[in-house]
Amino acid sequence: MKNNPKSYRSDKIEVSYDVTRCIHAAECTRGLPAVFDTSRRPWIQPEGADPDAIAAVIHKCPTGALHYTRSDGGAAEAIPARNSVKLDPNGPVLLRGDLQLVDATGEVVLSDTRIALCRCGASKNKPFCDNSHKDIDWKGEVTVAQAKAITPDAQPTGKFQMQPFANGPVVSQGSIAVLDAQGNQTHVLTNPAFCRCGGSVKKPFCDGTHKTNGFKSE
């Protein structure tokens, strides 16, 4: 897992960008080109807009590649009111909420509100997506089976902790709302195990295929 964010500052806000977690969803460049413009250097110029506008656009970044720190007294990014998961078509598992990634010893190595997990098995920055699914033309369902479902109107809160298993899935502790393509909640899952070898027939959930298809990971 690589992590080397760069910072871009104005007198009101500092924007950090981690290229290793960016999948070029382009929410930033579409939403606020006065600040985010890949045709110039530096491509992030936070003096180009009001900090509230910058914060609003960064909240749309699905991967957590972009974050900000306010120096004008403005509010920091709030933890979302619920934990949620949505599938990108033929791409990553997109999570929002009170998220933690832990290592094999249970130590927290990342706390974030937005994470994109690889589900094709080919990312070079596991467990994060790095767009390798496009290189290998990987295909995956965009619907989530109602495994371990509980009341569909529940609002799952609290820590949602994820732990990648060596050569296996990302296992979790906590509850998370499943969203459809329109962002509507369909049901809630408890402690799901997400496939990351790309071969499960129960995508995005693990079914043990990693044991037979030669998947290797840290």
Side-chain angles (χ1 to χ4, degrees):
M1 183 177 73
K2 305 171 186 176
N3 191 317
N4 187 28
K6 293 185 177 180
S7 294
Y8 304 83
R9 297 179 179 88
S10 73
D11 59 350
K12 296 181 179 179
I13 191 169
E14 177 180 348
V15 177
S16 65
Y17 171 64
D18 186 348
V19 65
T20 65
R21 291 177 60 186
C22 180
I23 60 173
H24 308 295
E27 293 287 356
C28 57
T29 54
R30 284 196 305 268
L32 200 58
V35 174
F36 304 96
D37 184 348
T38 57
S39 69
R40 70 187 180 203
R41 293 294 180 270
W43 77 278
I44 299 176
Q45 297 184 12
E47 66 278 4
D50 179 86
D52 288 338
I54 296 173
V57 166
I58 290 177
H59 292 165
K60 296 179 181 179
C61 173
T63 67
L66 287 170
H67 283 281
Y68 64 87
T69 302
R70 302 281 292 259
S71 53
D72 65 343
E77 180 176 359
I79 294 174
R82 66 177 174 182
N83 301 323
S84 65
V85 59
K86 185 177 181 181
L87 302 183
D88 189 49
N90 303 319
V93 176
L94 302 175
L95 302 110
R96 287 179 179 264
D98 192 356
L99 311 174
Q100 287 187 335
L101 193 66
V102 302
D103 64 16
T105 68
E107 181 180 352
V108 176
V109 293
L110 177 69
S111 294
D112 209 330
T113 57
R114 294 167 278 122
I115 290 177
L117 293 178
C118 170
R119 64 179 181 128
C120 74
S123 173
K124 298 176 180 63
N125 191 32
K126 298 181 183 72
F128 303 121
C129 174
D130 69 352
N131 269 347
S132 289
H133 55 275
K134 296 181 178 180
D135 297 332
I136 64 174
D137 196 27
W138 184 79
K139 302 299 181 184
E141 295 80 357
V142 295
T143 57
V144 178
Q146 294 193 26
K148 300 182 181 177
I150 58 176
T151 49
D153 58 347
Q155 294 295 300
T157 59
K159 299 292 183 186
F160 187 77
Q161 197 170 79
M162 295 165 285
Q163 184 179 42
F165 270 37
N167 306 323
V170 172
V171 299
S172 67
Q173 290 186 344
S175 60
I176 195 162
V178 177
L179 308 183
D180 63 18
Q182 290 71 44
N184 301 310
Q185 180 173 320
T186 60
H187 54 288
V188 174
L189 301 178
T190 56
N191 305 335
F194 295 108
C195 169
R196 61 178 186 143
C197 75
S200 172
V201 298
K202 294 169 56 180
K203 298 182 188 72
F205 305 115
C206 176
D207 68 353
T209 298
H210 58 274
K211 298 177 181 178
T212 59
N213 69 1
F215 174 70
K216 299 295 181 183
S217 71
E218 65 289 346

